[in-house]
Amino acid sequence: DFNLLVSKLVTPNSRIMFNQDVDTLVQKVAPFLQIDSHPYPVIADGHIDWIVDAYTTTSYYPYSNSADTSALQPGSGLNAGFNYVRNSVKAVVDAYTGQVTLYVVDPSDPILQAWQRVFPGMFQPLSEMPSVLQSHLRYPQDLLAIEATMFGKYHVAPNQFYNNSAFWSVAQTSTGSTANYVQPVYQLLALPGSSTPTFGAFEPMVPHSSNSQAQNLTAFLVADCSYSHYGSLTSYEIPQGRSQVNGPALANATIAAAAAVSKQTTLLDQHGSRAIFGPTLLIPIDDSVMYVRALFVSSSTSALPQLHYVVVLYGRK
C-alpha cells in the first residue's frame, strides 16, 4: 500500500500484524497443540485479551478407547482421531499487540511435560496468570461434550458394561435420529445441595437407545469453571423410581406445541421476519428441573436478532 511509504502515522515503532486471527496466532506459536474453535475475549485492565484453549492429544495411548466425537460441531478443533486428550494449556492473546502467552493448566500432563523440556521457558504456570483473567476461565465446551459422550458408556458397573446396559447419551435438541446434540451451555447457578452460585458448563444426558428414541433426562454433567475448583466434573443423576423428567428434546417439543408459543411464532415468522429459538437452558431448582428458552426475531433487512419473548417450561406448564 502506498500509504506505508508516505503516511506520517507509520513510525519506526509501527508493526504489521500478518496473522490477525487469534487461533492462527496460537497455532503458529505452538503447532504441536490442538487449538479450540471457541476463543473468547476478556476485558482486563482497560484492554482486551483473548483466551484460547489448547489441547495435547495422541492416538497412541496404551489400552485406551478412541474418543467418540459425534457430539461435536463440524468446525471443532477436536474432530481429529485420538484416544487421549487434556486441556493442558490456556493461551492468552493481547488483542492489540498480538502477544501470545501460554499458561499450564495441567502440569501433570506427560505430553506437555515433554514439550516443556523441548522448549524451556515457553510455558508459564497458571498461578502467574493475572487474577482478572483467572476469574474468567471457562471449561471448554468441546472437551466436556467428548467427556460426556465417553462417560455415558463408562459410568456403569462392570456387569452392566458387559451386558451393554444402562448406557447414557448426550441429549439431543429434538426427537429423531438426525437431530443435533445439545452443546454444553455456560450458566451461573446454585447447584443441588448448595446455596452458593457456581459458574459451570452443563451437558444433559439421556438413556442410550436405538435411533435416540429415549429422551427422558437421566442426568446432567457439570464442569466447574471457578479457578479454585477448575475442571472438576460432577454428575447429577435423576433418582430411579421418581416420575420421569423430560429431556431437552421433549422440552423443546412441548414448547413448540404450546398454543401461546405456536401462535406467536406464526405471527413473527412472516413478512420477511424469522422466529429463532435460543439454546435450551436446563435449570435445576431444589428437586425439580425447569427449562428456559429465549425467542428471537431476525429481519431480512437487519442481521441483528431482537429478543421478543422468554419461554419457561416447568412440568407441563
Side-chain angles (χ1 to χ4, degrees):
D1 190 289
F2 185 66
N3 286 315
L4 293 177
L5 299 177
V6 300
S7 174
K8 295 181 179 180
L9 298 177
V10 180
T11 72
N13 294 324
S14 298
R15 297 292 182 269
I16 295 178
M17 189 182 298
F18 289 98
N19 298 306
Q20 297 184 0
D21 178 72
V22 292
D23 285 345
T24 303
L25 278 172
V26 179
Q27 192 70 77
K28 289 280 187 180
V29 171
F32 46 84
L33 298 176
Q34 297 289 116
I35 307 304
D36 189 80
S37 60
H38 301 97
Y40 59 97
V42 175
I43 299 176
D45 298 330
H47 70 280
I48 298 175
D49 284 323
W50 287 88
I51 298 182
V52 185
D53 287 290
Y55 308 94
T56 55
T57 62
T58 182
S59 57
Y60 299 104
Y61 195 81
Y63 306 109
S64 182
N65 194 10
S66 296
D68 183 350
T69 59
S70 58
L72 297 180
Q73 298 287 354
S76 170
L78 285 177
N79 272 325
F82 55 88
N83 64 358
Y84 172 98
V85 57
R86 291 198 194 184
N87 174 217
S88 298
V89 176
K90 297 281 188 182
V92 176
V93 182
D94 189 299
Y96 182 73
T97 66
Q99 179 180 351
V100 179
T101 307
L102 303 176
Y103 295 96
V104 178
V105 179
D106 188 353
S108 65
D109 179 8
I111 296 180
L112 184 62
Q113 290 175 357
W115 287 116
Q116 286 180 285
R117 288 193 292 269
V118 174
F119 300 108
M122 183 176 184
F123 299 90
Q124 308 298 322
L126 188 62
S127 58
E128 294 189 9
M129 176 185 284
S131 58
V132 65
L133 296 180
Q134 292 176 358
S135 63
H136 286 281
L137 294 179
R138 300 192 322 189
Y139 197 79
Q141 293 168 295
D142 289 352
L143 180 60
L144 180 59
I146 291 177
E147 289 177 320
T149 303
M150 304 303 291
F151 180 67
K153 183 177 181 180
Y154 287 100
H155 78 280
V156 300
N159 62 319
Q160 293 173 317
F161 185 86
Y162 181 78
N163 294 322
N164 290 330
S165 62
F167 290 172
W168 298 342
S169 296
V170 173
Q172 293 185 306
T173 57
S174 59
T175 56
S177 57
T178 59
N180 294 323
Y181 289 101
V182 173
Q183 297 301 303
V185 177
Y186 296 109
Q187 298 186 79
L188 181 63
L189 294 175
L191 294 169
S194 174
S195 59
T196 304
T198 299
F199 179 66
F202 287 66
E203 183 71 298
M205 310 290 291
V206 297
H208 179 75
S209 60
S210 60
N211 296 325
S212 301
Q213 294 301 311
Q215 292 292 349
N216 289 312
L217 187 69
T218 187
F220 57 92
L221 199 62
V222 180
D224 196 327
C225 296
S226 63
Y227 178 74
S228 56
H229 299 92
Y230 179 82
S232 63
L233 303 180
T234 306
S235 172
Y236 293 90
E237 301 182 25
I238 305 301
Q240 295 183 358
R242 296 282 299 274
S243 59
Q244 293 182 337
V245 178
N246 286 344
L250 296 177
N252 290 339
T254 302
I255 290 174
V261 178
S262 61
K263 177 182 178 180
Q264 293 301 324
T265 54
T266 301
L267 292 174
L268 297 172
D269 209 4
Q270 58 183 337
H271 304 303
S273 298
R274 187 164 64 98
I276 304 173
F277 278 106
T280 305
L281 304 181
L282 182 154
I283 302 177
I285 299 178
D286 292 332
D287 59 349
S288 59
V289 171
M290 182 174 71
Y291 287 97
V292 177
R293 200 172 192 193
L295 178 59
F296 301 90
V297 176
S298 67
S299 170
S300 58
T301 59
S302 175
L304 183 64
Q306 292 183 344
L307 174 65
H308 271 243
Y309 297 100
V310 175
V311 184
V312 178
L313 175 66
Y314 181 74
R316 291 289 178 179
K317 299 180 180 180

